[in-house]
Amino acid sequence: KYKQAVSTFGGHAHDAVWVLVQAIRNARSTEPAAIRDSLENVKGFQGTWGEFNFSPEEHTGLTEEAFVMVKIVKGDWEMQK
């Protein structure tokens, strides 16, 4: 439709917006401190880049366990170890 290649940055923006939406909903507030505290408690958010789990110590949300390696074999996904 837009005659442009898909950008991975669109996926990053999508995840960021929806994590923020979830944090605001959970906080029931738009006050910065409430959003920050709520962001640090978002768990199990399924984003385009993996499962996000935040904490006061983990602000990226994605740990090594969030990623899996797959290979397409005969037109289907195959998990790699």
Side-chain angles (χ1 to χ4, degrees):
K1 178 177 180 178
Y2 298 103
K3 297 179 176 55
Q4 293 182 359
V6 175
S7 167
T8 60
F9 296 108
H12 295 305
H14 174 273
D15 290 350
V17 168
W18 285 105
V19 166
L20 179 60
V21 167
Q22 182 175 336
I24 291 170
R25 285 179 178 162
N26 291 349
R28 299 178 190 214
S29 173
T30 56
E31 291 298 318
I35 294 171
R36 180 204 57 228
D37 292 345
S38 185
L39 279 168
E40 290 180 340
N41 287 296
V42 170
K43 305 277 188 258
F45 178 84
Q46 297 298 320
T48 60
W49 289 94
E51 180 179 309
F52 289 79
N53 293 290
F54 296 91
S55 74
E57 297 78 28
E58 177 54 61
H59 288 167
T60 62
L62 294 171
T63 61
E64 190 174 304
E65 292 78 28
F67 301 96
V68 296
M69 182 67 72
V70 295
K71 180 178 177 182
I72 299 175
V73 177
K74 298 180 183 175
D76 202 4
W77 301 94
E78 182 179 284
M79 297 285 286
Q80 302 295 296
K81 297 184 190 236

